[in-house]
Amino acid sequence: MRRGSAPGAAAAPGQDARPRGRSEQAELEPTPTRDRILDTALQLFTEKGFDATTLQEIADRLGFTKAAIYYHFRSKEDILMALHLRMHQLGVASLERMAEGPVTLEVWESLLSSLLDEMMAQRPLFLMHERNQAVLERIHRDNHEAQHEDLQARLREILSDPSISLRDRVRMSCSLGAVFGVLFIGGEALGPKSEELAPLLRDAIHDLLAR
Amino acid sequence: MRRGSAPGAAAAPGQDARPRGRSEQAELEPTPTRDRILDTALQLFTEKGFDATTLQEIADRLGFTKAAIYYHFRSKEDILMALHLRMHQLGVASLERMAEGPVTLEVWESLLSSLLDEMMAQRPLFLMHERNQAVLERIHRDNHEAQHEDLQARLREILSDPSISLRDRVRMSCSLGAVFGVLFIGGEALGPKSEELAPLLRDAIHDLLAR
DNA sequence: GTCTATATTTCGATAGAC
DNA sequence: GTCTATCGAAATATAGAC
């Protein structure tokens, strides 16, 4: 945190960090209002970035006040982390397959294929993530608990594995970038019909990885 | 601007927005100190993001105070815009070639090739730009003067051109993404030897665009 | 050109009523 | 569960001395 960082938060030591709101148990449970806050935040964080988005704006769009948000979330960062969690869980399946054996070009291609499906389905989440990398890294460093099991870390590990030829690792990076290229650079320019897009993208990736 | 936004700036109407500092003429001229500020800002904006970087930090790293920066730049945004300008000028050459004729896959490949050279040479600038997209767009919207002539706008135009087949536009997006993939995702993982990287990347791009 | 000191605003977060 | 009111902490930007 950088600004109004929990002014009265260091009140009683040994106390729970959560000042009020819902019980700790119920905290992660989705509720309609909670989800509406998350959806609105997702939109604004993507459009303007996390830092430039104020709780006031989120509240305004939802038709209630800033303070009400604090019943559902402990802090602004918590909202971002909840969104991060949503996305993070998507990567887990792919992640486990990546940990199983050696990553050949063929394995990579099939991994990318399932990743592509997930990204197509959850594009807004990935977009938000992409546009708030700096903030997310900052927060990740602070809570260096929750040692990922992080998709990005595992990717970097593979891409720096010297037992794979540099040529192949370049191809892997390219194919990964190609997915981002189509979803985020091409994005709306290519047209929103992901049904047509996906097979064309898969073909291109295949040309990149085959042989 | 969102926070301490020019408190006493709306003083005398009809007055120049620039309160003090160097003369308007000399303002864009590079000086050693100005460049040092820009270099430091480039680093911090990339590491932590524009919003999370304070003028205090920039000043601290340079060994003088916050206020001194205001002799060289009118505002924090001005620093970002100066960096944006640096990068923007790199794209101009490619941009003009793109405006000349119809963009075929062959033209695209050669454009990408020169863009790649520029990006390899000026990677930090592109990295900063990539990691501060949201802020840059916000500022661009505010100063909707300086109608770009913007690289990104022209790219989107091409990628949505219906006279090019969807298949080819997907390939173009892929190849563009591939460049980002190698430079920014693969990044340090692939190793810093851009001499080896460039030809491998060009080969991959060729496989994507040829035939 | 750089400093000290300060004005001004914004925003996250809390307290407590309802 | 949401509101009003307010606190406390930055951070941008300015004024004016040196």
Side-chain angles (χ1 to χ4, degrees), chain A residues 5 11 24-26 43 56 58 65 75 118 132 152 165 171 204:
Chain A
S5 51
E24 199 157 3
Q25 268 288 4
Q43 238 180 284
Q56 191 65 241
I58 298 177
T65 67
S75 70
E118 277 163 359
N132 288 283
Q152 270 186 301
S165 78
R171 298 273 167 155

Side-chain angles (χ1 to χ4, degrees), chain B residues 20 33 61 69 83 96 106 111 135 148 175-176 185 187 199 204:
Chain B
R20 295 192 311 177
T33 308
R61 284 213 188 176
I69 296 181
L83 288 171
E96 283 170 358
E106 288 78 20
L111 283 173
V135 197
H148 6 296
S175 58
L176 191 53
I185 306 178

